[in-house]
C-alpha cells in the first residue's frame, strides 16, 4: 500500500524542508518544522513494518506432495493469505 504514496510523501518532505529556509516567515518555519518533526518521528516508524508471514505448515505440504501418487495435484497455500500454488506430482 504505501508504495503508492512514496513520491507524494517525498514531495511533502521536500516542501517542508524548503519552508524551513530563513527567508520564510517565522510562523511558516515553525509550522513546517512541527509537521516535519511529526512526520519523521511518527510517520516513518509506523510505516516501517511488515506484518509477519502466516505459518502455512510447509513441512506438512511437502510430506503430502512426496507421498502423493503420480498425476496428483497438490495445492500448497502461499503468503499472502489467499494465494496458492498447484503442483502436479510426476
Amino acid at each position: 500500500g504505501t508504495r503508492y504514496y512514496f513520491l507524494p510523501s517525498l514531495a511533502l518532505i521536500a516542501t517542508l524542508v524548503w519552508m524551513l529556509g530563513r527567508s520564510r516567515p517565522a510562523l511558516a518555519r515553525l509550522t513546517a518544522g512541527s509537521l516535519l518533526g511529526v512526520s519523521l518521528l511518527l510517520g516513518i516508524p509506523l510505516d516501517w513494518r511488515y506484518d509477519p508471514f502466516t505459518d502455512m505448515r510447509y513441512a506438512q505440504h511437502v510430506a503430502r506432495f512426496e507421498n502423493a501418487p503420480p498425476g496428483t495435484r497438490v495445492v500448497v497455500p502461499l503468503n499472502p493469505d489467499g494465494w496458492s500454488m498447484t503442483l502436479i506430482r510426476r
Side-chain angles (χ1 to χ4, degrees):
T2 57
R3 65 184 174 272
Y4 298 112
Y5 299 105
F6 176 72
L7 290 177
S9 297
L10 194 61
L12 175 66
I13 289 174
T15 302
L16 292 174
V17 169
W18 175 73
M19 290 294 292
L20 290 173
R22 290 187 182 248
S23 62
R24 310 285 176 264
L27 182 60
R29 288 188 311 213
L30 180 65
T31 304
S34 300
L35 290 174
L36 188 62
V38 167
S39 68
L40 292 177
L41 294 176
L42 292 177
I44 292 174
L46 290 174
D47 284 340
W48 197 278
R49 65 174 173 79
Y50 289 103
D51 293 331
F53 288 126
T54 305
D55 181 15
M56 299 292 187
R57 299 187 172 102
Y58 179 72
Q60 290 178 356
H61 296 291
V62 168
R64 193 176 70 182
F65 180 76
E66 287 178 345
N67 296 327
T72 304
R73 292 178 183 260
V74 177
V75 177
V76 178
L78 301 173
N79 280 302
D81 238 359
W83 287 56
S84 65
M85 172 175 52
T86 303
L87 300 174
I88 301 172
R89 178 71 181 197
R90 299 281 178 201

